[in-house]
Amino acid sequence: MSRIYDFIGIGLGPFNLGLACLTAPIGELDGLFLDARDGFDWHPGMMLEDASLQTPFLADLVTLADPTSRFSFLNYLKTQGKIYAFYIREDFFLLRREYNQYCQWAAAQLPSIRFGHEVLHVEYDAARDCYQVSGRHGHGEGSFHYAARRLVLGTGTSPWLPACCRPLRPGVSHSATYLQDKPQLQAARSITLVGSGQSAAEIYRDLLQEIDQHGYALNWVTRSPRFFPLEYTKLTLEMTSPEYIDYFHDLPAATRDALITRQSSLYKGIDSAVINEIHELLYRKRLSGPLDSGLYTNTELRGCTPADDGTLLLDFHQHEQQRSYRQRSERLVLATGYAAQVPAFLAPLEAHIRRDARGRYAVDRHYSIDLKGGRIFVQNAELHTHGLASPDLGMGCYRNASIIAQMLGRAYYPVERRIAFQHFGAPEGEPLPSVETRMATPAEVSS
């Protein structure tokens, strides 16, 4: 217990794994990473064979901060003897399984990572000016205790469920466990899928491919007004730039919240190629006869009740028609995304954490949430303060380089300040006269 680490990362998704890779060569930083799982496995329930990332391979764990890092995806390919196959494939977008394998390769090389370590309690030790982190080893192997000057929270998100489906009941599952649940789904006579993003599209495509083999009815329902594609044009991508983060972070909280609501297609849409594949699949399937599958937009799931015959009674509301209706389905799949959860182990630190008027982390520009600043950092918990770059794999290196700079007091990896061609705020210039000054007088109006 006498050793005090410079920082401890709690949770190991791609972002904290990237931090582990980027801090590995920095002798000035002594870090430790703890994760409750037995090993790295990124969204295993959606590890479909043909699913790919929505960001190019350069958005790996390290390259956009340090292109020379031994933890780059290209170095992974070279060490695995796959670099020429990848070159010939000519596809910038990695298969999701390949990205997961790459992350597992990187994690296996890092002695700073401790899997099977479930954090249960964190408190501040004023006498030693550090955080005490304690928990238990997996498989009942005892407890652990560590101390660190700083914390980096990468505890990720948890499946989000509509209120009518909490808690999950028989016949209802979330996309997080789709592959595990797939055999039971395909044994049913009817399946209803709810959701609008990439995961929903991939599940629908996967189930549609085998609909005639299993003979189930398949419906896809979304409350969105359409099955919208992910916006991926170049000037829109500039909204994941440091300049846009600066601009977004400086806006009033109410303005930021309204913007995020309107920007969902910029970070939650469906890959256009997948949309086209679904349409082509529907077209081909229908050539063989009637297809028992429907797609419904503007429709919200409001009720889910088990029926006596083992089916689910699903209550929907079509917003544009203002019409409510009920359908039966044997199985329901919720591709309704994920939401950040405040880990219970943080409770003793509540007095040290800044929160906004809605009780969310008040994340400063450099990703810390503690009252003093620069002591407790968050990974992908700042959508409401930093905008759509928060969950983007392509900006993970930028955030990690910023966190490292805060911990060192200087930039170890160059942190870009301006990369966009466009300007997001009003330019500096002579202010316009006030409204009162410019209004005409009654005499001017009458004349």
Side-chain angles (χ1 to χ4, degrees), residues 14 22 45 51 60 97 108 121 124 188 193 202 207 210 224 234 240 244 315 352 370 381 393 401 409 418 431 435 447:
L22 288 170
D60 63 10
R97 290 195 305 164
H121 187 82
Y124 178 66
L193 170 66
E202 289 173 352
L207 291 172
E210 301 176 12
S224 299
K234 306 304 180 186
T240 59
Y244 188 76
D315 298 336
H352 297 255
D370 58 289
L393 289 177
R418 180 161 184 80
V435 174
S447 65

Side-chain angles (χ1 to χ4, degrees), residues 167-186:
L168 283 178
R169 58 198 69 191
V172 184
S173 60
H174 190 271
S175 59
T177 58
Y178 169 65
L179 284 180
Q180 172 187 326
D181 299 336
K182 184 178 175 181
Q184 290 74 34
L185 289 170
Q186 292 190 311

Side-chain angles (χ1 to χ4, degrees), residues 7 25 124 159 173 196 262 280 282 373 416 435:
F7 71 94
Y124 178 66
S173 60
S196 61
R262 299 199 299 267
E280 177 65 16
L282 287 165
E416 284 75 5
V435 174

Side-chain angles (χ1 to χ4, degrees), residues 384-396:
H384 59 291
T385 56
H386 288 63
L388 54 91
S390 179
D392 192 289
L393 289 177
M395 289 302 286

Side-chain angles (χ1 to χ4, degrees), residues 112-129:
S112 61
I113 293 175
R114 304 280 192 277
F115 286 113
H117 282 57
E118 182 184 6
V119 174
L120 298 176
H121 187 82
V122 180
E123 63 181 24
Y124 178 66
D125 183 342
R128 302 177 75 197
D129 189 26

Side-chain angles (χ1 to χ4, degrees), residues 3 18 143 346 422:
R3 179 179 181 179
S143 60
L346 276 187
Q422 61 191 296

Side-chain angles (χ1 to χ4, degrees), residues 284-320:
R284 293 201 310 265
K285 293 286 186 184
R286 200 166 58 180
L287 291 178
S288 302
L291 183 64
D292 197 357
S293 183
L295 291 84
Y296 302 88
T297 58
N298 291 295
T299 302
E300 179 182 2
L301 176 66
R302 290 188 170 178
C304 176
T305 308
D308 293 338
D309 61 359
T311 62
L312 297 167
L313 300 178
L314 303 178
D315 298 336
F316 293 104
H317 182 76
Q318 212 284 359
H319 285 284
E320 289 184 345

Side-chain angles (χ1 to χ4, degrees), residues 28-351:
E28 303 164 66
L29 286 178
D30 182 19
L32 184 68
F33 293 84
L34 308 175
D35 193 280
R37 298 169 301 170
D38 292 332
F40 187 94
D41 206 6
W42 190 57
H43 295 309
M46 285 299 297
M47 208 57 64
L48 301 170
E49 186 176 34
D50 53 357
S52 62
L53 298 185
Q54 292 178 287
T55 51
F57 75 92
L58 286 174
D60 63 10
L61 299 170
V62 294
T63 293
L64 292 174
D66 180 11
T68 67
S69 171
R70 68 185 180 94
F71 296 105
S72 72
F73 175 71
L74 289 180
N75 189 48
Y76 161 74
L77 289 176
K78 188 65 175 177
T79 62
Q80 304 300 304
K82 298 178 180 178
I83 197 164
Y84 277 98
F86 181 77
Y87 163 70
I88 292 170
R89 183 172 180 251
E90 291 189 334
D91 192 333
F92 267 30
F93 298 91
L94 303 184
L95 294 169
R96 192 176 292 144
R97 290 195 305 164
E98 186 173 31
Y99 179 77
N100 194 46
Q101 291 166 0
Y102 155 64
C103 289
Q104 291 170 340
W105 167 83
Q109 300 180 64
L110 292 161
S112 61
I113 293 175
R114 304 280 192 277
F115 286 113
H117 282 57
E118 182 184 6
V119 174
L120 298 176
H121 187 82
V122 180
E123 63 181 24
Y124 178 66
D125 183 342
R128 302 177 75 197
D129 189 26
C130 66
Y131 299 100
Q132 302 287 353
V133 179
S134 59
R136 63 187 171 209
H137 295 289
H139 312 295
E141 298 174 1
S143 60
F144 62 82
H145 303 276
Y146 297 110
R149 301 290 182 200
R150 306 173 189 86
L151 303 173
V152 184
L153 305 178
T155 49
T157 54
S158 301
W160 185 87
L161 308 174
C164 61
C165 296
R166 302 173 196 162
L168 283 178
R169 58 198 69 191
V172 184
S173 60
H174 190 271
S175 59
T177 58
Y178 169 65
L179 284 180
Q180 172 187 326
D181 299 336
K182 184 178 175 181
Q184 290 74 34
L185 289 170
Q186 292 190 311
R189 291 170 296 177
S190 54
I191 308 168
T192 300
L193 170 66
V194 172
S196 61
Q198 182 75 4
S199 294
E202 289 173 352
I203 290 172
Y204 180 76
R205 177 182 61 179
D206 192 56
L207 291 172
L208 184 62
Q209 286 172 338
E210 301 176 12
I211 190 172
D212 37 14
Q213 296 171 233
H214 296 274
Y216 44 71
L218 176 62
N219 291 319
W220 182 10
V221 182
T222 174
R223 63 182 177 183
S224 299
R226 61 192 177 96
F227 297 98
F228 55 83
L230 181 70
E231 174 67 65
Y232 213 74
T233 54
K234 306 304 180 186
L235 291 178
T236 296
L237 286 177
E238 287 192 344
M239 294 173 69
T240 59
S241 64
E243 302 97 295
Y244 188 76
I245 297 174
D246 288 337
Y247 167 76
F248 188 91
H249 194 271
D250 286 343
L251 293 172
T255 304
R256 294 197 305 252
D257 290 342
L259 271 176
I260 285 297
T261 300
R262 299 199 299 267
Q263 291 176 347
S264 57
S265 65
L266 307 185
Y267 67 100
K268 290 170 61 176
I270 305 167
D271 187 282
S272 58
V274 175
I275 294 175
N276 292 338
E277 288 172 16
I278 287 172
H279 188 274
E280 177 65 16
L281 192 55
L282 287 165
Y283 186 88
R284 293 201 310 265
K285 293 286 186 184
R286 200 166 58 180
L287 291 178
S288 302
L291 183 64
D292 197 357
S293 183
L295 291 84
Y296 302 88
T297 58
N298 291 295
T299 302
E300 179 182 2
L301 176 66
R302 290 188 170 178
C304 176
T305 308
D308 293 338
D309 61 359
T311 62
L312 297 167
L313 300 178
L314 303 178
D315 298 336
F316 293 104
H317 182 76
Q318 212 284 359
H319 285 284
E320 289 184 345
Q321 293 179 315
Q322 288 297 300
R323 179 185 163 219
S324 297
Y325 64 94
R326 172 172 287 182
Q327 287 188 330
R328 288 179 182 266
S329 183
E330 284 194 5
R331 295 298 301 259
L332 173 65
V333 183
L334 301 171
T336 46
Y338 298 77
Q341 303 289 333
V342 177
F345 63 72
L346 276 187
L349 296 182
E350 187 58 39

